[in-house]
Every structure is written in C-alpha cells, then in structure tokens.
Amino acid sequence: MTSKTAKAKTAKAKTTKTSRTRTICISHKEDCDGISSAALVRQAFGGDSILVDYPGQMDALRQIIRDEKLKSLYICDLGLSKKTQDEFVELLTTLRKNKVSVTYIDHHDIDPTVIKSLEKIKVKVIHDINECASVQVYSAFKSKLSDHASFIATCAAITDYMEDRPIGAKLLQIYDRQFALISATTLTYNIVGHQKDPDYLLYLVEELADSKFPHEIPNTFEFAQIQVEKLSQMIAKVKAGLKTMKNLGYMEILDAGAGGAVNFVLGLSGKEVGVAYKERIDHGIYAVSVRGSKSLKTHLGKIVNILATDLGGSGGGHDKACGAVIPKDKINTFVKELNKKLN
Ligand SMILES: [Mn+2]
C-alpha cells in the first residue's frame, strides 16, 4: 500500500511541477496605493489579486506558498517589520526553490539586510522610499500598461502624500490637478468604506485594471458622500474624546477605523504626533495608526517598528505615517513609551 501511495504521490508531484501557470498579486487592501498597485499588476500580467491588511499579510503568504499552480508572484505596498521580515525571507526562499518568480515592490522603510537576502535568492526587488508603490509599478511595467495607468498611479501618489516626488509630480502634471484630487479622494473613500467587503475591493481592482476612472464606477460619488458625512461626525467625536501627553495626542476609536480618525487626532490635538487605535476583538490586539506633523523631525516608522516589536506586536512604515499591531494589554505602555521616545 505504501509503495502505491508513494507512486501516486510522485506522479502527482510530476504533473504539478510542469503545470505552474498561475500569476498572483498580493497587495495592501487598506488604501488607494495598494488597490492601484494590484490593478496595474493585473493590467500588465493578468492573474488574481489577493488583498490583505498588515495583520493578515503573513497568513496570506503562508497560504500562497502551498499553491502548487503558482508561477509568478507580485507583492505590492506591503512593508516589513522586525517581526515579519525573517519569516518573509524564509517563505520567499521556499517559493524560489520551487522556481516561482517573485517581484517585491514597496516604499516602506526596510532593513537593508532584508533587501540583500532577497536579492541573494533572486527576488526582483523594486524599492524606493521616495515614490509610492503604484508609481513604481507603473514605472517598471509601463510598456505593458495603457496610457490610463498613469492616472491610476497619480491617484495613488496623491493618497500616499507622494504627488510631490520626482515621478509622482510628473504624472500629476499630465492631469488637471482638481480632477485628479477628486478622483483620488473618491476612490480612497470607497476603499476605506468597503474594508469589510472583500468582493467589492476586488471589483475595484478589476475596474481600475480595465482603465475606468473612479467616477465611471457606479455609485462611487454617492458612497463618498456618505463617508464624508461620517468623517464630519468624527471631528466632533475626536474633539470630545481626545487625550494628550507632552508630545502626542491619542484616542481609542470605537466605531470606525483608526486610520480615518488619526489625522483629526493629530490636527485637533495641536501636537506633533497623533495616535488612534482600535481594538480588533477577534485578534486580541489593537490596530494602531500614527501620524506626524510636517515639522516633525523624528522618523515615526522606525521608532514604531522597534517599540511595537519590543511589546510583542509589529509595526512600521513611513516617517510621518505608520501603523502597528499591539497586544491588547500593551496599548497604554505603547502610547506612554512613544511619548517618551519623542522627547
Ligand atoms: Mn503605499
């Protein structure tokens, strides 16, 4: 019996080895840069998109490596942290051993040793902290993309506050500024408001890959109006619930995403740093968003990465915008320690 099973297994392994045909793009689901990156990869290479947030990122990768049909993988707009980077390299090593081609495109702060490890296993690394992920996808695969793709990349640059960067600025110049701003903002509100609707997010990826403008996708402006109304109510809630320490303003958010509230926490606190956090009841963690004012000199992504890891969570990102996942009982320590580190 054992030899029969073994034979069957060998036969199966042989067939799967020769039939790797699938292209997958795993991208960030929470903002326009992630969704646009997925759309541009889809337009250039076809295949399927898998949209994830930071807490779900590594789970998705662990699943993907078991896909015996996988031929080529793109990973977009998903930064790494001290906590995730080693396993990330490990998982990609397994993929490379199975001859899967892997392209990693990102713009978050990264440990240089990770880039070296990835290049060593021949992962194509496209990494520039000065342009958003979609702009880098656009630049790398321009020849495979429609003219409209530059508009999708422009929208992503705007929502990532990177439309003033060398390539981002050139792309924005192609389009009327106000037209680009309203399109990017509408798209963003539709993404943020549909975080619990994965099918809708995939639909958005398809429509954008199909060279649609955000206003051509049904009901996007109506939906954006609902989001704007919710945000205006958020201003009143933040005013009422905001707390401050010497160097930061902070607030626990109960009924909306932390990402939508954090800019109000920053702005209304009058501090250089704003922190908003929301409990993920099913995970026993807090999802934390951190923003810094223009004048802030500290790199928030770097200190949040270290601090979150020390507290048994993970985190990181950009100099003035980053996020973290913090164990439930450590959230107060996180805020206090961050306040200290900002001295
Ligand atoms: Mn991004």
Side-chain angles (χ1 to χ4, degrees):
M1 185 206 109
T2 40
S3 73
K4 240 185 184 177
T5 323
K7 258 186 192 172
K9 267 190 183 160
T10 323
K12 200 189 168 204
K14 266 182 190 161
T15 46
T16 49
K17 239 182 197 170
T18 52
S19 61
R20 284 188 176 271
T21 52
R22 211 173 165 202
T23 297
I24 292 182
C25 172
I26 167 170
S27 192
H28 188 204
K29 73 169 186 175
E30 293 175 297
D31 65 32
C32 186
D33 194 25
I35 298 290
S36 299
S37 295
L40 296 183
V41 168
R42 186 182 165 90
Q43 189 181 93
F45 303 103
D48 301 313
S49 316
I50 296 176
L51 302 170
V52 298
D53 56 9
Y54 279 102
Q57 172 188 9
M58 297 309 286
D59 272 343
L61 261 184
R62 284 181 212 116
Q63 290 260 333
I64 285 170
I65 66 159
R66 293 208 296 264
D67 186 337
E68 293 178 337
K69 290 251 186 291
L70 182 62
K71 186 185 179 197
S72 125
L73 177 67
Y74 296 84
I75 305 165
C76 303
D77 197 34
L78 288 164
L80 299 169
S81 69
K82 270 183 181 299
K83 190 172 175 199
T84 57
Q85 63 194 30
D86 293 344
E87 192 190 359
F88 185 81
V89 173
E90 231 171 78
L91 292 170
L92 266 48
T93 304
T94 307
L95 285 172
R96 293 296 301 133
K97 277 184 188 151
N98 291 332
K99 301 272 183 293
V100 177
S101 94
V102 183
T103 309
Y104 178 49
I105 306 159
D106 190 53
H107 66 128
H108 299 87
D109 185 59
I110 189 170
D111 185 334
T113 62
V114 175
I115 295 195
K116 272 189 198 143
S117 310
L118 292 176
E119 283 172 343
K120 210 170 161 189
I121 57 168
K122 297 210 162 59
V123 167
K124 282 169 231 155
V125 180
I126 300 173
H127 190 275
D128 182 355
I129 57 163
N130 288 309
E131 302 281 355
C132 73
S134 302
V135 164
Q136 294 183 67
V137 174
Y138 172 75
S139 303
F141 309 123
K142 211 173 175 176
S143 63
K144 294 183 164 61
L145 293 165
S146 70
D147 286 346
H148 186 83
S150 60
F151 187 72
I152 308 293
T154 303
C155 289
I158 290 168
T159 31
D160 264 22
Y161 296 84
M162 300 188 103
E163 80 282 10
D164 60 345
R165 307 307 165 92
I167 307 174
K170 264 195 188 146
L171 292 178
L172 179 56
Q173 256 176 37
I174 303 173
Y175 301 99
D176 173 76
R177 181 175 174 80
Q178 251 56 49
F179 178 70
L181 287 175
I182 197 165
S183 300
T185 304
T186 302
L187 189 54
T188 295
Y189 285 159
N190 277 268
I191 292 166
V192 170
H194 284 102
Q195 283 301 300
K196 288 187 179 134
D197 188 349
D199 290 341
Y200 184 84
L201 296 174
L202 287 172
Y203 163 74
L204 272 186
V205 170
E206 283 169 28
E207 294 292 279
L208 296 173
D210 212 13
S211 292
K212 294 258 175 63
F213 285 108
H215 73 270
E216 292 176 309
I217 304 168
N219 300 314
T220 47
F221 272 62
E222 289 84 346
F223 191 84
Q225 188 175 357
I226 296 169
Q227 291 302 112
V228 171
E229 174 59 31
K230 280 187 192 161
L231 281 172
S232 72
Q233 290 165 8
M234 178 66 78
I235 297 173
K237 280 182 196 162
V238 170
K239 273 184 184 162
L242 172 73
K243 291 175 184 151
T244 57
M245 287 179 188
K246 185 180 165 223
N247 300 311
L248 56 80
Y250 66 101
M251 183 172 166
E252 176 169 2
I253 310 300
L254 299 171
D255 54 358
V262 69
N263 285 320
F264 294 130
V265 174
L266 171 66
L268 295 168
S269 70
K271 301 286 181 181
E272 293 240 293
V273 173
V275 182
Y277 46 93
K278 191 183 182 197
E279 192 178 348
R280 293 276 184 98
I281 294 165
D282 45 337
H283 289 86
I285 52 156
Y286 274 99
V288 188
S289 286
V290 186
R291 297 288 182 276
S293 68
K294 272 198 170 162
S295 52
L296 181 75
K297 296 284 183 290
T298 320
H299 194 296
L300 287 175
K302 285 183 187 171
I303 58 172
V304 165
N305 183 358
I306 296 165
L307 185 54
T309 310
D310 287 349
L311 295 174
S314 65
H318 309 296
D319 53 350
K320 292 180 172 61
C322 66
V325 167
I326 302 291
K328 204 184 153 183
D329 56 335
K330 294 282 163 56
I331 189 69
N332 292 325
T333 317
F334 174 82
V335 177
K336 274 184 216 156
E337 288 300 314
L338 181 62
N339 177 57
K340 266 191 211 164
K341 282 186 197 281
L342 290 168
N343 269 335

